[in-house]
Amino acid sequence: MSESLLKWIRPEIRALTAYHVADASDMIKLDAMENPYQLTDKAKLNWQQQITAAELNRYPDPACAALKDVLHKLVKPPANTSMILGNGSDELIQMIAMAVCAQDRCIMSFDPGFVMYRMIAEFVGMQYVGVSLNNEFDIDLDQTLDAIAQHQPAVIFIAYPNNPTANCFNKAAIETIIQKSPGIVVVDEAYHPFAQDSFMPMLADYENLLVMRTVSKMGLAGLRLGFMCGQPFLVNEIDKVRLPYNINVLTQQAAQAILSNTEVLDQQASVIREQRELMLQRLAQFDGVEVFSSQANFILFRLLQHDAGAVFNALKQQGVLIKHMNASSGLLQNCLRVTVGTPEENDMFQRALYTSMQAVNNI
Ligand SMILES: *Cc1c(COP(=O)(O)O)cnc(C)c1O
């Protein structure tokens, strides 16, 4: 290891550990909020025909005009707003951070919250301020307004619903935050298909608001496509840091074909919402499990009598992969997070959870 070379890597990057994605081969995969369903054969054929026509020798349309038309029809943002696309919403978060970053500025969000906000703040050399949620996993408005006044954040990210807690924060509190923020407020609606509530209409009222969505959780995680709407003067500035061809030809063509008719995806989301309600009821009947409400396609729960790490490992041994929140204290203490899968997967998870809790000693 050559220290003379590594000195060129920024110290804050060297201090990071790389984002770890668990190996899930041959597992029932309930760790990453994916939609468990495939498209129908007919819908598959449709996008396959579309990408057959794609010209791979040409650069993609940098403006993604045709795809944006389809997204506009689907999302119906208010008039006089603009849209920007990202290689997943992760890339949109990165673009926002690059557009605002300066050493004495911070990005604010809530803890527990989506890890990517903190990671990307660190990537671009900004400070991250995580305001603690209250015991109901909701926004503590007084504390948040104090933090805003003190830190003057360039951007506040608000996931609605929140990951990993699965709830939607109080909407009036979010609106107050938008009104009181000196900088940009991004409402991240990655789980919109499962919450069916949105800040999109408020774009007409607030010039500092951006609303972000993604196709990942609705069943197209492999495509890597996120989109964000806001008033043109702001979107245009963020668009300057976008790499010109960030949405590749295959993604553009496939997304256009699939999102022109979302009947299949809508039906799948509706089944997932029903399964979520069933799973919430069943988990609530487990002895020693505290389950939290969910408006997303995943459920956070706490083990009261067993070590979450031990149960997580026992589940893995039985071929079921969920997410261990790895918290020995704080709001996520001894918590696990499970994605809602197919009815069969959910049954298998519940049975495996039961036997795992039997097998692991009480704490
Ligand atoms: C999963 C998730 C995203 C990431 O979406 P991609 O479009 O796949 O990059 C963004 N925000 C939240 C809160 C998420 O949970």
Side-chain angles (χ1 to χ4, degrees):
M1 184 162 63
S2 168
E3 281 300 321
S4 65
L5 260 185
L6 284 176
K7 75 169 188 225
W8 295 106
I9 306 292
R10 285 155 45 206
E12 62 269 32
I13 301 298
R14 290 187 66 186
L16 295 174
T17 40
Y19 188 76
H20 173 70
V21 177
D23 177 24
S25 31
D26 300 327
M27 302 274 267
I28 295 173
K29 194 172 182 310
L30 300 175
D31 66 325
M33 283 76 106
E34 291 146 326
N35 173 343
Y37 298 107
Q38 295 284 327
L39 289 169
T40 58
D41 287 345
K42 191 174 152 218
K44 271 189 188 170
L45 201 65
N46 182 32
W47 73 255
Q48 283 162 0
Q49 280 166 350
Q50 284 285 325
I51 64 167
T52 308
E55 294 183 350
L56 296 186
N57 57 320
R58 301 291 179 194
Y59 281 107
D61 172 11
C64 298
L67 176 53
K68 277 187 190 167
D69 277 349
V70 171
L71 288 168
H72 266 113
K73 288 198 186 90
L74 184 66
V75 177
K76 303 183 183 67
N80 306 318
T81 55
S82 292
M83 186 185 281
I84 179 172
L85 308 190
N87 191 335
S89 42
D90 288 350
E91 194 194 31
L92 291 167
I93 301 167
Q94 188 183 47
M95 284 186 229
I96 296 165
M98 287 197 309
V100 302
C101 76
Q103 212 162 32
D104 55 348
R105 292 184 176 180
C106 78
I107 285 177
M108 184 176 283
S109 190
F110 298 96
D111 282 339
F114 186 45
V115 290
M116 214 50 81
Y117 308 142
R118 176 193 292 274
M119 279 175 51
I120 288 173
E122 285 171 347
F123 293 168
V124 300
M126 286 177 82
Q127 195 202 344
Y128 174 83
V129 177
V131 181
S132 188
L133 296 175
N134 66 22
N135 286 327
E136 278 77 51
F137 296 140
D138 207 341
I139 289 173
D140 178 334
L141 189 57
D142 289 338
Q143 201 200 329
T144 306
L145 294 179
D146 284 351
I148 292 170
Q150 185 192 339
H151 296 282
Q152 299 285 308
V155 188
I156 304 175
F157 285 101
I158 305 176
Y160 186 86
N162 188 39
N163 173 12
T165 58
N167 59 315
C168 284
F169 299 142
N170 182 297
K171 210 170 180 180
I174 297 177
E175 198 168 351
T176 304
I177 291 168
I178 298 168
Q179 290 162 353
K180 297 281 170 74
S181 290
I184 299 167
V185 177
V186 182
V187 176
D188 177 352
E189 299 183 341
Y191 298 97
H192 177 258
F194 314 105
Q196 298 175 294
D197 189 24
S198 180
F199 281 75
M200 203 65 88
M202 284 190 205
L203 286 176
D205 306 325
Y206 297 110
E207 63 175 17
N208 63 334
L209 175 64
L210 295 169
V211 176
M212 195 164 70
R213 300 258 184 100
T214 174
V215 303
S216 294
K217 313 293 158 56
M218 66 168 76
L220 305 169
L223 278 187
R224 307 306 298 134
L225 179 68
F227 53 100
M228 185 166 71
C229 300
Q231 296 202 5
F233 81 99
L234 191 54
V235 172
N236 290 344
E237 294 302 319
I238 294 163
D239 198 48
K240 292 177 186 172
V241 301
R242 183 177 61 84
L243 295 176
Y245 306 114
N246 63 328
I247 312 297
N248 73 71
V249 169
L250 300 180
T251 295
Q252 288 194 35
Q253 295 280 356
Q256 247 169 268
I258 297 166
L259 299 175
S260 294
N261 180 354
T262 56
E263 207 177 313
V264 176
L265 293 176
D266 294 343
Q267 179 57 29
Q268 292 174 351
S270 144
V271 171
I272 292 167
R273 290 194 302 267
E274 280 168 26
Q275 282 294 310
R276 170 188 70 199
E277 295 309 309
L278 216 67
M279 209 153 144
L280 283 168
Q281 286 169 18
R282 294 215 189 129
L283 282 174
Q285 287 162 8
F286 270 68
D287 255 349
V289 171
E290 180 183 14
V291 58
F292 301 104
S293 69
S294 168
Q295 285 153 90
N297 64 339
F298 61 92
I299 293 170
L300 183 76
F301 60 101
R302 175 178 286 128
L303 299 183
L304 303 172
Q305 291 152 19
H306 302 83
D307 176 60
V311 170
F312 169 78
N313 284 325
L315 280 166
K316 220 162 125 181
Q317 298 260 303
Q318 297 184 64
V320 180
L321 183 66
I322 64 169
K323 175 84 175 173
H324 179 210
M325 301 318 298
N326 254 313
S328 55
S329 62
L331 287 169
L332 293 181
Q333 180 170 24
N334 218 34
C335 280
L336 296 165
R337 186 191 72 191
V338 62
T339 306
V340 179
T342 64
E344 297 74 28
E345 289 173 333
N346 300 337
D347 281 348
M348 278 193 272
F349 157 71
Q350 283 152 34
R351 259 179 279 142
L353 178 64
Y354 184 80
T355 51
S356 298
M357 286 171 65
Q358 300 288 313
V360 167
N361 289 334
N362 280 13
I363 43 176

